[in-house]
Amino acid sequence: MRPQIATATTTAITAAFLTTAAMAGDLSQVTTEPVPTAPSTDWSGLYGGLTLSKSTGSYFGDFSSAGTHFPAEEGDLDGVGYGLLLGHNWQKGKFVYGAELSLSGQDINGSESCPNDNFDCNAKIDRLGSLRVRAGMLMGEKSLAFATLGYAAADITASAKGLGLKGEHTERFTGFVYGIGMEHALNQRYSIRASVLKHDFGSKDLEVLGIAVDDFNADFTTLELGFVMRF
């Protein structure tokens, strides 16, 4: 009986070994599914937004009358604004590019010395708009660093008052706007942004109270905060 028991025991051990090896071979064929990650933000498509801004800068104009030139000092500009954004993005991997229209109401004011001390010379910007291209790169899953460049237009009023007199001249100035910014997605639809923009306008000849203001120009830097919604 002992040889039979030994043979049975050997057979059982061999069968168990072969079964274990077969199971190990089957497990080696099993592939592990990747753990799903949170979807990255899709920046492509149409969007709109609201903005608040703070601007500081300067303006300048030379005064002349009856062929006499009166040098003027540079005036400071300072003020706030609020506006609307409308744009469209395209996305290719980590790169995002697009175009954007910005329209805003402004309360930017400035003053400088007049040639005649009896008068105050001022400048005011009521409206500002720009059409810009934008290009940027994703910084992680939800943040976009971008640069922007475009065409800008502003309604600028030069004025003078004193001795019971007041005169003003409003012109639409055109120029360029450029800057950098960062936008952060709160979720797939909403994001917040901050940007620093430089507005640089060309010069024009004006006339206020019969006094010529030659080469009147303005430029200013704007800190703009925005809330954006993707459609």
Side-chain angles (χ1 to χ4, degrees), residues 3-19:
Q4 293 177 348
I5 293 173
T7 301
T9 302
T10 303
T11 302
I13 292 174
T14 302
F17 176 79
L18 293 176
T19 301

Side-chain angles (χ1 to χ4, degrees), residues 145-161:
F146 64 88
T148 186
L149 170 67
Y151 170 87
D155 290 339
I156 305 178
T157 300
S159 64
K161 62 180 180 180

Side-chain angles (χ1 to χ4, degrees), residues 30 35 44 82 84 113 118 138 140 163 176 179 196 214 218 221 225 227:
V30 177
V35 178
S44 60
Y82 55 91
L84 300 173
S113 300
N118 294 312
L138 296 181
L163 300 178
F176 296 96
V196 178
D214 301 324
T221 300
L225 304 178
F227 178 79

Side-chain angles (χ1 to χ4, degrees), residues 111-129:
S111 62
E112 65 173 316
S113 300
C114 285
N116 187 333
D117 293 336
N118 294 312
F119 288 82
D120 294 324
C121 291
N122 305 280
K124 179 175 65 173
I125 301 174
D126 292 321
R127 286 177 291 274
L128 177 65

